[in-house]
Amino acid sequence: MADDTIQLSTFFSEKDIVFDQTVPSMYNLVSALVERLAANHFPGVPCGPIVDAVLRRERTSPTAVGEGVALPHTRISGIERPYMALGIYPAGVPAEGVEKPLKLVFLLLVPESQPARYLQILRALAKLLREPGAAERLAASREPSDVMAQLRRSELSLPEYVCGGDLMRQTETALRAAEPLSEALEHFMADARTELPIIDEAGRLVGTVDTRALLGCFIPKGFRKLFPGFAPVSPDVAMSHLAARLEEAHQIRVCEAMNTDVCTCLPGTPAQEIAADMAERNAAVCYVLDDEQRLIGEIPVGLFFRRILKD
């Protein structure tokens, strides 16, 4: 499929940039940005429901990305293409759950029918703001022309389909193949995880370990025979057999319970291919790898559907 090369500035103009010294709350901030977009681009669309939708999403899934930057967004009906407003607040705006007051806020509104653009623009913004000094330079801007010039320096190639890079989240926990299986057990108990990736010393994905493998290691097929009639006469004695097996987690290595038939994709893999592969393998997670097979993210099945259907 062909790519469209576009710039972030495609989605807004100088008149969509708001400079404000005093904003008392997140509600006022979002209201001002929505009203600016409505006045400039879709004057017939009511602002109230849009503000409510943005703030409702912000309460359930805050979009602050650190260093005084937030990316509030929602999908709405009544517009034909994405629109973006940028608010720059030198004094900072306090927001719930955010350590640093917000100084740079991109508000993105996308048609309900365009989930691909929605996810891709968010990823592009996040990529731009990860560049050293980019957020600070934008927050220090005092002229709309300066802001536009900075954004025009970052050309983006957005394909016409949602891909792995748009859907993934960062992998926070990964195991090494030589680690004791007790490490996996600790994560499963503490984090309510059901599967963990396993990487080598270079960060390449080599397999996974899941709760099914854990059960297979520590609960033998004849486990029922340890409980004749399931009589509850001495539960401590009976459960000691299971406790003894679990103690072996310190001797068994992760690689001994590893599954190597893993669902993987590249950042540019289309969502349709990811869905088909996950369904074929009955996989709970698809792992995103770079060209060197290093693990860079993951797409749990729940996140896949939430981002496609809800976000």
Side-chain angles (χ1 to χ4, degrees), residues 5-41:
T5 299
I6 64 173
Q7 294 177 315
L8 275 177
S9 55
T10 300
F11 303 107
F12 77 122
S13 62
E14 290 187 9
K15 63 183 180 180
D16 299 316
I17 301 171
V18 174
F19 296 89
D20 205 328
Q21 297 295 327
T22 56
V23 179
S25 70
M26 192 68 174
Y27 174 83
N28 298 91
L29 183 158
V30 171
S31 295
L33 293 179
V34 169
E35 289 169 4
R36 176 66 65 92
L37 286 178
N40 290 336
H41 304 289

PDB file of all heavy atoms in Angstrom, residues 5-41:
ATOM      1  N   THR A   5       2.929  11.093   2.553  1.00  0.00           N
ATOM      2  CA  THR A   5       3.868  11.873   3.339  1.00  0.00           C
ATOM      3  C   THR A   5       3.197  13.187   3.716  1.00  0.00           C
ATOM      4  O   THR A   5       2.846  13.968   2.839  1.00  0.00           O
ATOM      5  CB  THR A   5       5.153  12.137   2.550  1.00  0.00           C
ATOM      6  OG1 THR A   5       5.756  10.887   2.237  1.00  0.00           O
ATOM      7  CG2 THR A   5       6.119  12.965   3.380  1.00  0.00           C
ATOM      8  N   ILE A   6       3.005  13.390   5.004  1.00  0.00           N
ATOM      9  CA  ILE A   6       2.315  14.582   5.480  1.00  0.00           C
ATOM     10  C   ILE A   6       3.109  15.188   6.622  1.00  0.00           C
ATOM     11  O   ILE A   6       4.053  14.584   7.136  1.00  0.00           O
ATOM     12  CB  ILE A   6       0.882  14.259   5.955  1.00  0.00           C
ATOM     13  CG1 ILE A   6       0.949  13.316   7.166  1.00  0.00           C
ATOM     14  CG2 ILE A   6       0.057  13.650   4.860  1.00  0.00           C
ATOM     15  CD1 ILE A   6      -0.400  13.089   7.800  1.00  0.00           C
ATOM     16  N   GLN A   7       2.712  16.391   7.028  1.00  0.00           N
ATOM     17  CA  GLN A   7       3.325  17.062   8.157  1.00  0.00           C
ATOM     18  C   GLN A   7       2.281  17.272   9.240  1.00  0.00           C
ATOM     19  O   GLN A   7       1.082  17.343   8.962  1.00  0.00           O
ATOM     20  CB  GLN A   7       3.900  18.415   7.733  1.00  0.00           C
ATOM     21  CG  GLN A   7       5.050  18.308   6.758  1.00  0.00           C
ATOM     22  CD  GLN A   7       5.531  19.688   6.322  1.00  0.00           C
ATOM     23  OE1 GLN A   7       4.735  20.566   6.010  1.00  0.00           O
ATOM     24  NE2 GLN A   7       6.838  19.873   6.316  1.00  0.00           N
ATOM     25  N   LEU A   8       2.747  17.371  10.484  1.00  0.00           N
ATOM     26  CA  LEU A   8       1.814  17.637  11.575  1.00  0.00           C
ATOM     27  C   LEU A   8       1.022  18.917  11.328  1.00  0.00           C
ATOM     28  O   LEU A   8      -0.148  19.026  11.690  1.00  0.00           O
ATOM     29  CB  LEU A   8       2.579  17.771  12.894  1.00  0.00           C
ATOM     30  CG  LEU A   8       2.891  16.479  13.647  1.00  0.00           C
ATOM     31  CD1 LEU A   8       3.718  16.788  14.879  1.00  0.00           C
ATOM     32  CD2 LEU A   8       1.623  15.748  14.031  1.00  0.00           C
ATOM     33  N   SER A   9       1.658  19.881  10.706  1.00  0.00           N
ATOM     34  CA  SER A   9       0.989  21.158  10.465  1.00  0.00           C
ATOM     35  C   SER A   9      -0.189  21.027   9.499  1.00  0.00           C
ATOM     36  O   SER A   9      -0.986  21.953   9.356  1.00  0.00           O
ATOM     37  CB  SER A   9       1.985  22.182   9.922  1.00  0.00           C
ATOM     38  OG  SER A   9       2.625  21.679   8.759  1.00  0.00           O
ATOM     39  N   THR A  10      -0.325  19.849   8.832  1.00  0.00           N
ATOM     40  CA  THR A  10      -1.473  19.619   7.966  1.00  0.00           C
ATOM     41  C   THR A  10      -2.777  19.700   8.751  1.00  0.00           C
ATOM     42  O   THR A  10      -3.814  20.091   8.217  1.00  0.00           O
ATOM     43  CB  THR A  10      -1.366  18.226   7.311  1.00  0.00           C
ATOM     44  OG1 THR A  10      -0.175  18.163   6.531  1.00  0.00           O
ATOM     45  CG2 THR A  10      -2.563  17.932   6.420  1.00  0.00           C
ATOM     46  N   PHE A  11      -2.724  19.352  10.032  1.00  0.00           N
ATOM     47  CA  PHE A  11      -3.950  19.201  10.803  1.00  0.00           C
ATOM     48  C   PHE A  11      -4.348  20.465  11.568  1.00  0.00           C
ATOM     49  O   PHE A  11      -5.388  20.467  12.225  1.00  0.00           O
ATOM     50  CB  PHE A  11      -3.807  18.034  11.774  1.00  0.00           C
ATOM     51  CG  PHE A  11      -3.472  16.744  11.076  1.00  0.00           C
ATOM     52  CD1 PHE A  11      -2.206  16.195  11.168  1.00  0.00           C
ATOM     53  CD2 PHE A  11      -4.421  16.102  10.301  1.00  0.00           C
ATOM     54  CE1 PHE A  11      -1.894  15.025  10.505  1.00  0.00           C
ATOM     55  CE2 PHE A  11      -4.120  14.930   9.632  1.00  0.00           C
ATOM     56  CZ  PHE A  11      -2.848  14.381   9.728  1.00  0.00           C
ATOM     57  N   PHE A  12      -3.538  21.505  11.525  1.00  0.00           N
ATOM     58  CA  PHE A  12      -3.938  22.758  12.153  1.00  0.00           C
ATOM     59  C   PHE A  12      -3.121  23.909  11.591  1.00  0.00           C
ATOM     60  O   PHE A  12      -2.163  23.708  10.848  1.00  0.00           O
ATOM     61  CB  PHE A  12      -3.817  22.674  13.676  1.00  0.00           C
ATOM     62  CG  PHE A  12      -2.420  22.791  14.221  1.00  0.00           C
ATOM     63  CD1 PHE A  12      -2.113  23.791  15.119  1.00  0.00           C
ATOM     64  CD2 PHE A  12      -1.422  21.885  13.875  1.00  0.00           C
ATOM     65  CE1 PHE A  12      -0.833  23.904  15.647  1.00  0.00           C
ATOM     66  CE2 PHE A  12      -0.154  21.986  14.404  1.00  0.00           C
ATOM     67  CZ  PHE A  12       0.145  23.006  15.294  1.00  0.00           C
ATOM     68  N   SER A  13      -3.551  25.106  11.930  1.00  0.00           N
ATOM     69  CA  SER A  13      -2.899  26.292  11.392  1.00  0.00           C
ATOM     70  C   SER A  13      -2.563  27.251  12.528  1.00  0.00           C
ATOM     71  O   SER A  13      -2.851  26.966  13.698  1.00  0.00           O
ATOM     72  CB  SER A  13      -3.837  26.979  10.386  1.00  0.00           C
ATOM     73  OG  SER A  13      -5.018  27.402  11.047  1.00  0.00           O
ATOM     74  N   GLU A  14      -1.986  28.378  12.191  1.00  0.00           N
ATOM     75  CA  GLU A  14      -1.600  29.355  13.210  1.00  0.00           C
ATOM     76  C   GLU A  14      -2.788  29.799  14.060  1.00  0.00           C
ATOM     77  O   GLU A  14      -2.653  30.044  15.251  1.00  0.00           O
ATOM     78  CB  GLU A  14      -0.929  30.567  12.560  1.00  0.00           C
ATOM     79  CG  GLU A  14       0.441  30.275  11.978  1.00  0.00           C
ATOM     80  CD  GLU A  14       1.140  31.533  11.490  1.00  0.00           C
ATOM     81  OE1 GLU A  14       0.615  32.641  11.765  1.00  0.00           O
ATOM     82  OE2 GLU A  14       2.205  31.421  10.836  1.00  0.00           O
ATOM     83  N   LYS A  15      -3.958  29.871  13.457  1.00  0.00           N
ATOM     84  CA  LYS A  15      -5.130  30.340  14.204  1.00  0.00           C
ATOM     85  C   LYS A  15      -5.648  29.294  15.201  1.00  0.00           C
ATOM     86  O   LYS A  15      -6.511  29.608  16.028  1.00  0.00           O
ATOM     87  CB  LYS A  15      -6.242  30.746  13.238  1.00  0.00           C
ATOM     88  CG  LYS A  15      -6.769  29.611  12.371  1.00  0.00           C
ATOM     89  CD  LYS A  15      -7.816  30.141  11.391  1.00  0.00           C
ATOM     90  CE  LYS A  15      -8.347  29.014  10.504  1.00  0.00           C
ATOM     91  NZ  LYS A  15      -9.362  29.520   9.543  1.00  0.00           N
ATOM     92  N   ASP A  16      -5.106  28.077  15.148  1.00  0.00           N
ATOM     93  CA  ASP A  16      -5.501  27.036  16.096  1.00  0.00           C
ATOM     94  C   ASP A  16      -4.527  26.924  17.272  1.00  0.00           C
ATOM     95  O   ASP A  16      -4.616  25.990  18.065  1.00  0.00           O
ATOM     96  CB  ASP A  16      -5.577  25.677  15.387  1.00  0.00           C
ATOM     97  CG  ASP A  16      -6.599  25.670  14.269  1.00  0.00           C
ATOM     98  OD1 ASP A  16      -7.700  26.202  14.497  1.00  0.00           O
ATOM     99  OD2 ASP A  16      -6.300  25.151  13.176  1.00  0.00           O
ATOM    100  N   ILE A  17      -3.617  27.872  17.384  1.00  0.00           N
ATOM    101  CA  ILE A  17      -2.649  27.886  18.485  1.00  0.00           C
ATOM    102  C   ILE A  17      -3.101  28.902  19.525  1.00  0.00           C
ATOM    103  O   ILE A  17      -3.382  30.051  19.192  1.00  0.00           O
ATOM    104  CB  ILE A  17      -1.241  28.233  17.966  1.00  0.00           C
ATOM    105  CG1 ILE A  17      -0.803  27.209  16.905  1.00  0.00           C
ATOM    106  CG2 ILE A  17      -0.243  28.233  19.133  1.00  0.00           C
ATOM    107  CD1 ILE A  17       0.476  27.589  16.193  1.00  0.00           C
ATOM    108  N   VAL A  18      -3.169  28.460  20.769  1.00  0.00           N
ATOM    109  CA  VAL A  18      -3.632  29.314  21.861  1.00  0.00           C
ATOM    110  C   VAL A  18      -2.477  29.583  22.815  1.00  0.00           C
ATOM    111  O   VAL A  18      -1.833  28.648  23.301  1.00  0.00           O
ATOM    112  CB  VAL A  18      -4.789  28.649  22.629  1.00  0.00           C
ATOM    113  CG1 VAL A  18      -5.172  29.474  23.857  1.00  0.00           C
ATOM    114  CG2 VAL A  18      -5.992  28.459  21.709  1.00  0.00           C
ATOM    115  N   PHE A  19      -2.195  30.858  23.080  1.00  0.00           N
ATOM    116  CA  PHE A  19      -1.222  31.254  24.100  1.00  0.00           C
ATOM    117  C   PHE A  19      -2.012  31.851  25.257  1.00  0.00           C
ATOM    118  O   PHE A  19      -2.802  32.763  25.058  1.00  0.00           O
ATOM    119  CB  PHE A  19      -0.251  32.306  23.565  1.00  0.00           C
ATOM    120  CG  PHE A  19       0.626  31.815  22.444  1.00  0.00           C
ATOM    121  CD1 PHE A  19       0.202  31.932  21.126  1.00  0.00           C
ATOM    122  CD2 PHE A  19       1.861  31.252  22.709  1.00  0.00           C
ATOM    123  CE1 PHE A  19       1.002  31.484  20.090  1.00  0.00           C
ATOM    124  CE2 PHE A  19       2.665  30.808  21.670  1.00  0.00           C
ATOM    125  CZ  PHE A  19       2.237  30.924  20.367  1.00  0.00           C
ATOM    126  N   ASP A  20      -1.812  31.339  26.459  1.00  0.00           N
ATOM    127  CA  ASP A  20      -2.589  31.838  27.590  1.00  0.00           C
ATOM    128  C   ASP A  20      -1.724  31.835  28.845  1.00  0.00           C
ATOM    129  O   ASP A  20      -1.026  30.859  29.127  1.00  0.00           O
ATOM    130  CB  ASP A  20      -3.819  30.963  27.815  1.00  0.00           C
ATOM    131  CG  ASP A  20      -4.931  31.716  28.516  1.00  0.00           C
ATOM    132  OD1 ASP A  20      -4.618  32.596  29.328  1.00  0.00           O
ATOM    133  OD2 ASP A  20      -6.111  31.416  28.242  1.00  0.00           O
ATOM    134  N   GLN A  21      -1.785  32.883  29.603  1.00  0.00           N
ATOM    135  CA  GLN A  21      -0.990  33.000  30.820  1.00  0.00           C
ATOM    136  C   GLN A  21      -1.693  32.414  32.039  1.00  0.00           C
ATOM    137  O   GLN A  21      -1.057  31.893  32.942  1.00  0.00           O
ATOM    138  CB  GLN A  21      -0.665  34.484  31.088  1.00  0.00           C
ATOM    139  CG  GLN A  21       0.182  35.127  30.024  1.00  0.00           C
ATOM    140  CD  GLN A  21       1.577  34.534  29.932  1.00  0.00           C
ATOM    141  OE1 GLN A  21       2.138  34.125  30.930  1.00  0.00           O
ATOM    142  NE2 GLN A  21       2.120  34.475  28.723  1.00  0.00           N
ATOM    143  N   THR A  22      -3.013  32.476  32.069  1.00  0.00           N
ATOM    144  CA  THR A  22      -3.733  32.041  33.263  1.00  0.00           C
ATOM    145  C   THR A  22      -4.898  31.127  32.883  1.00  0.00           C
ATOM    146  O   THR A  22      -5.896  31.582  32.331  1.00  0.00           O
ATOM    147  CB  THR A  22      -4.295  33.248  34.033  1.00  0.00           C
ATOM    148  OG1 THR A  22      -5.109  34.021  33.152  1.00  0.00           O
ATOM    149  CG2 THR A  22      -3.163  34.107  34.587  1.00  0.00           C
ATOM    150  N   VAL A  23      -4.757  29.835  33.150  1.00  0.00           N
ATOM    151  CA  VAL A  23      -5.827  28.874  32.928  1.00  0.00           C
ATOM    152  C   VAL A  23      -6.047  28.141  34.245  1.00  0.00           C
ATOM    153  O   VAL A  23      -5.168  27.435  34.730  1.00  0.00           O
ATOM    154  CB  VAL A  23      -5.457  27.852  31.826  1.00  0.00           C
ATOM    155  CG1 VAL A  23      -6.594  26.860  31.633  1.00  0.00           C
ATOM    156  CG2 VAL A  23      -5.174  28.580  30.519  1.00  0.00           C
ATOM    157  N   PRO A  24      -7.214  28.286  34.874  1.00  0.00           N
ATOM    158  CA  PRO A  24      -7.397  27.739  36.220  1.00  0.00           C
ATOM    159  C   PRO A  24      -7.525  26.221  36.310  1.00  0.00           C
ATOM    160  O   PRO A  24      -7.246  25.646  37.359  1.00  0.00           O
ATOM    161  CB  PRO A  24      -8.692  28.417  36.697  1.00  0.00           C
ATOM    162  CG  PRO A  24      -9.414  28.787  35.445  1.00  0.00           C
ATOM    163  CD  PRO A  24      -8.353  29.102  34.439  1.00  0.00           C
ATOM    164  N   SER A  25      -7.948  25.562  35.245  1.00  0.00           N
ATOM    165  CA  SER A  25      -8.184  24.122  35.370  1.00  0.00           C
ATOM    166  C   SER A  25      -8.118  23.432  34.017  1.00  0.00           C
ATOM    167  O   SER A  25      -8.135  24.072  32.957  1.00  0.00           O
ATOM    168  CB  SER A  25      -9.563  23.868  35.982  1.00  0.00           C
ATOM    169  OG  SER A  25     -10.581  24.229  35.053  1.00  0.00           O
ATOM    170  N   MET A  26      -8.088  22.092  34.065  1.00  0.00           N
ATOM    171  CA  MET A  26      -8.096  21.299  32.840  1.00  0.00           C
ATOM    172  C   MET A  26      -9.397  21.504  32.074  1.00  0.00           C
ATOM    173  O   MET A  26      -9.410  21.509  30.850  1.00  0.00           O
ATOM    174  CB  MET A  26      -7.916  19.819  33.197  1.00  0.00           C
ATOM    175  CG  MET A  26      -7.620  18.915  32.016  1.00  0.00           C
ATOM    176  SD  MET A  26      -5.987  19.245  31.296  1.00  0.00           S
ATOM    177  CE  MET A  26      -5.873  17.937  30.086  1.00  0.00           C
ATOM    178  N   TYR A  27     -10.492  21.684  32.793  1.00  0.00           N
ATOM    179  CA  TYR A  27     -11.780  21.919  32.132  1.00  0.00           C
ATOM    180  C   TYR A  27     -11.719  23.192  31.287  1.00  0.00           C
ATOM    181  O   TYR A  27     -12.141  23.206  30.123  1.00  0.00           O
ATOM    182  CB  TYR A  27     -12.898  22.029  33.169  1.00  0.00           C
ATOM    183  CG  TYR A  27     -14.226  22.406  32.565  1.00  0.00           C
ATOM    184  CD1 TYR A  27     -15.045  21.446  31.995  1.00  0.00           C
ATOM    185  CD2 TYR A  27     -14.637  23.746  32.534  1.00  0.00           C
ATOM    186  CE1 TYR A  27     -16.255  21.800  31.409  1.00  0.00           C
ATOM    187  CE2 TYR A  27     -15.848  24.107  31.953  1.00  0.00           C
ATOM    188  CZ  TYR A  27     -16.648  23.125  31.390  1.00  0.00           C
ATOM    189  OH  TYR A  27     -17.838  23.479  30.806  1.00  0.00           O
ATOM    190  N   ASN A  28     -11.215  24.267  31.866  1.00  0.00           N
ATOM    191  CA  ASN A  28     -11.110  25.524  31.125  1.00  0.00           C
ATOM    192  C   ASN A  28     -10.189  25.388  29.925  1.00  0.00           C
ATOM    193  O   ASN A  28     -10.451  25.944  28.854  1.00  0.00           O
ATOM    194  CB  ASN A  28     -10.602  26.638  32.039  1.00  0.00           C
ATOM    195  CG  ASN A  28     -11.541  26.907  33.198  1.00  0.00           C
ATOM    196  OD1 ASN A  28     -11.396  26.317  34.265  1.00  0.00           O
ATOM    197  ND2 ASN A  28     -12.512  27.785  33.008  1.00  0.00           N
ATOM    198  N   LEU A  29      -9.099  24.655  30.108  1.00  0.00           N
ATOM    199  CA  LEU A  29      -8.130  24.455  29.032  1.00  0.00           C
ATOM    200  C   LEU A  29      -8.777  23.744  27.853  1.00  0.00           C
ATOM    201  O   LEU A  29      -8.708  24.209  26.701  1.00  0.00           O
ATOM    202  CB  LEU A  29      -6.942  23.658  29.576  1.00  0.00           C
ATOM    203  CG  LEU A  29      -5.752  23.355  28.679  1.00  0.00           C
ATOM    204  CD1 LEU A  29      -4.528  23.056  29.544  1.00  0.00           C
ATOM    205  CD2 LEU A  29      -6.006  22.156  27.779  1.00  0.00           C
ATOM    206  N   VAL A  30      -9.404  22.584  28.139  1.00  0.00           N
ATOM    207  CA  VAL A  30     -10.033  21.800  27.073  1.00  0.00           C
ATOM    208  C   VAL A  30     -11.158  22.600  26.417  1.00  0.00           C
ATOM    209  O   VAL A  30     -11.303  22.599  25.182  1.00  0.00           O
ATOM    210  CB  VAL A  30     -10.556  20.460  27.625  1.00  0.00           C
ATOM    211  CG1 VAL A  30     -11.410  19.736  26.587  1.00  0.00           C
ATOM    212  CG2 VAL A  30      -9.392  19.570  28.051  1.00  0.00           C
ATOM    213  N   SER A  31     -11.956  23.287  27.216  1.00  0.00           N
ATOM    214  CA  SER A  31     -13.056  24.080  26.664  1.00  0.00           C
ATOM    215  C   SER A  31     -12.538  25.142  25.696  1.00  0.00           C
ATOM    216  O   SER A  31     -13.095  25.335  24.602  1.00  0.00           O
ATOM    217  CB  SER A  31     -13.834  24.762  27.796  1.00  0.00           C
ATOM    218  OG  SER A  31     -14.462  23.810  28.622  1.00  0.00           O
ATOM    219  N   ALA A  32     -11.467  25.828  26.079  1.00  0.00           N
ATOM    220  CA  ALA A  32     -10.914  26.882  25.229  1.00  0.00           C
ATOM    221  C   ALA A  32     -10.397  26.317  23.907  1.00  0.00           C
ATOM    222  O   ALA A  32     -10.610  26.911  22.834  1.00  0.00           O
ATOM    223  CB  ALA A  32      -9.804  27.615  25.963  1.00  0.00           C
ATOM    224  N   LEU A  33      -9.730  25.151  23.956  1.00  0.00           N
ATOM    225  CA  LEU A  33      -9.180  24.568  22.731  1.00  0.00           C
ATOM    226  C   LEU A  33     -10.292  24.045  21.820  1.00  0.00           C
ATOM    227  O   LEU A  33     -10.233  24.205  20.591  1.00  0.00           O
ATOM    228  CB  LEU A  33      -8.205  23.448  23.085  1.00  0.00           C
ATOM    229  CG  LEU A  33      -6.914  23.890  23.793  1.00  0.00           C
ATOM    230  CD1 LEU A  33      -6.040  22.679  24.119  1.00  0.00           C
ATOM    231  CD2 LEU A  33      -6.122  24.896  22.955  1.00  0.00           C
ATOM    232  N   VAL A  34     -11.300  23.402  22.402  1.00  0.00           N
ATOM    233  CA  VAL A  34     -12.423  22.910  21.598  1.00  0.00           C
ATOM    234  C   VAL A  34     -13.159  24.074  20.950  1.00  0.00           C
ATOM    235  O   VAL A  34     -13.517  24.035  19.762  1.00  0.00           O
ATOM    236  CB  VAL A  34     -13.384  22.064  22.464  1.00  0.00           C
ATOM    237  CG1 VAL A  34     -14.684  21.775  21.700  1.00  0.00           C
ATOM    238  CG2 VAL A  34     -12.728  20.751  22.878  1.00  0.00           C
ATOM    239  N   GLU A  35     -13.404  25.127  21.719  1.00  0.00           N
ATOM    240  CA  GLU A  35     -14.103  26.302  21.178  1.00  0.00           C
ATOM    241  C   GLU A  35     -13.310  26.959  20.060  1.00  0.00           C
ATOM    242  O   GLU A  35     -13.879  27.450  19.074  1.00  0.00           O
ATOM    243  CB  GLU A  35     -14.385  27.296  22.302  1.00  0.00           C
ATOM    244  CG  GLU A  35     -15.465  26.817  23.265  1.00  0.00           C
ATOM    245  CD  GLU A  35     -15.558  27.657  24.522  1.00  0.00           C
ATOM    246  OE1 GLU A  35     -14.826  28.680  24.605  1.00  0.00           O
ATOM    247  OE2 GLU A  35     -16.349  27.302  25.416  1.00  0.00           O
ATOM    248  N   ARG A  36     -11.989  26.978  20.190  1.00  0.00           N
ATOM    249  CA  ARG A  36     -11.144  27.549  19.134  1.00  0.00           C
ATOM    250  C   ARG A  36     -11.295  26.734  17.842  1.00  0.00           C
ATOM    251  O   ARG A  36     -11.453  27.307  16.748  1.00  0.00           O
ATOM    252  CB  ARG A  36      -9.692  27.584  19.588  1.00  0.00           C
ATOM    253  CG  ARG A  36      -8.692  28.072  18.526  1.00  0.00           C
ATOM    254  CD  ARG A  36      -8.920  29.537  18.171  1.00  0.00           C
ATOM    255  NE  ARG A  36      -8.668  30.428  19.287  1.00  0.00           N
ATOM    256  CZ  ARG A  36      -7.493  31.002  19.533  1.00  0.00           C
ATOM    257  NH1 ARG A  36      -6.465  30.795  18.720  1.00  0.00           N
ATOM    258  NH2 ARG A  36      -7.359  31.817  20.557  1.00  0.00           N
ATOM    259  N   LEU A  37     -11.250  25.394  17.956  1.00  0.00           N
ATOM    260  CA  LEU A  37     -11.399  24.551  16.769  1.00  0.00           C
ATOM    261  C   LEU A  37     -12.780  24.710  16.149  1.00  0.00           C
ATOM    262  O   LEU A  37     -12.921  24.794  14.923  1.00  0.00           O
ATOM    263  CB  LEU A  37     -11.155  23.080  17.132  1.00  0.00           C
ATOM    264  CG  LEU A  37      -9.705  22.674  17.377  1.00  0.00           C
ATOM    265  CD1 LEU A  37      -9.631  21.200  17.780  1.00  0.00           C
ATOM    266  CD2 LEU A  37      -8.843  22.913  16.137  1.00  0.00           C
ATOM    267  N   ALA A  38     -13.802  24.729  16.992  1.00  0.00           N
ATOM    268  CA  ALA A  38     -15.163  24.861  16.470  1.00  0.00           C
ATOM    269  C   ALA A  38     -15.339  26.182  15.733  1.00  0.00           C
ATOM    270  O   ALA A  38     -15.920  26.233  14.634  1.00  0.00           O
ATOM    271  CB  ALA A  38     -16.172  24.736  17.608  1.00  0.00           C
ATOM    272  N   ALA A  39     -14.858  27.267  16.322  1.00  0.00           N
ATOM    273  CA  ALA A  39     -15.000  28.580  15.691  1.00  0.00           C
ATOM    274  C   ALA A  39     -14.274  28.641  14.353  1.00  0.00           C
ATOM    275  O   ALA A  39     -14.750  29.255  13.393  1.00  0.00           O
ATOM    276  CB  ALA A  39     -14.467  29.659  16.633  1.00  0.00           C
ATOM    277  N   ASN A  40     -13.127  27.970  14.257  1.00  0.00           N
ATOM    278  CA  ASN A  40     -12.314  28.051  13.045  1.00  0.00           C
ATOM    279  C   ASN A  40     -12.736  27.071  11.953  1.00  0.00           C
ATOM    280  O   ASN A  40     -12.535  27.347  10.760  1.00  0.00           O
ATOM    281  CB  ASN A  40     -10.846  27.804  13.385  1.00  0.00           C
ATOM    282  CG  ASN A  40     -10.230  28.932  14.182  1.00  0.00           C
ATOM    283  OD1 ASN A  40     -10.707  30.072  14.132  1.00  0.00           O
ATOM    284  ND2 ASN A  40      -9.177  28.640  14.930  1.00  0.00           N
ATOM    285  N   HIS A  41     -13.314  25.927  12.350  1.00  0.00           N
ATOM    286  CA  HIS A  41     -13.483  24.861  11.358  1.00  0.00           C
ATOM    287  C   HIS A  41     -14.876  24.251  11.273  1.00  0.00           C
ATOM    288  O   HIS A  41     -15.279  23.800  10.205  1.00  0.00           O
ATOM    289  CB  HIS A  41     -12.481  23.734  11.642  1.00  0.00           C
ATOM    290  CG  HIS A  41     -11.066  24.190  11.678  1.00  0.00           C
ATOM    291  ND1 HIS A  41     -10.371  24.573  10.539  1.00  0.00           N
ATOM    292  CD2 HIS A  41     -10.201  24.355  12.710  1.00  0.00           C
ATOM    293  CE1 HIS A  41      -9.145  24.941  10.874  1.00  0.00           C
ATOM    294  NE2 HIS A  41      -9.012  24.817  12.184  1.00  0.00           N
TER     295      HIS A  41
END
